Amino acid sequence: MARDSCLTRVTAGAAMGGAVGGAVGAVYGTYEAIRYKVPGLLKIRHIGQTTLGSAAIFGLFLGAGSLIHCGKSY
């Protein structure tokens, strides 16, 4: 039961990090594409790359943080 609980916490942390990172990445990617005047359909590609990269990194860190926190007992 304890392993399922820890695995569930890590998965939820990674999913939450991915969602927040994706939202922030989409906003920042859109801002960056407009600011630097990325041409045509490359805007969509740039926004997508920024969104996925940000979601992956933030999800990784929140998942790792949840894993570290999972071992502590108060």
Side-chain angles (χ1 to χ4, degrees), residues 39-65:
L41 289 177
L42 289 177
K43 285 181 185 169
I44 303 299
R45 182 177 177 183
H46 181 75
I47 293 168
Q49 285 179 342
T50 307
T51 300
L52 291 177
S54 179
I57 294 297
F58 206 78
L60 175 74
F61 283 124
L62 243 61

Side-chain angles (χ1 to χ4, degrees):
M1 184 69 98
R3 287 188 75 183
D4 290 332
S5 177
C6 186
L7 182 62
T8 303
R9 286 183 185 183
V10 172
T11 305
M16 192 65 73
V20 172
V24 170
V27 171
Y28 182 69
T30 303
Y31 166 74
E32 204 174 42
I34 292 170
R35 179 172 181 199
Y36 294 115
K37 297 181 175 96
V38 177
L41 289 177
L42 289 177
K43 285 181 185 169
I44 303 299
R45 182 177 177 183
H46 181 75
I47 293 168
Q49 285 179 342
T50 307
T51 300
L52 291 177
S54 179
I57 294 297
F58 206 78
L60 175 74
F61 283 124
L62 243 61
S66 297
L67 181 65
I68 290 170
H69 186 70
C70 188
K72 294 182 180 179
S73 60
Y74 296 103

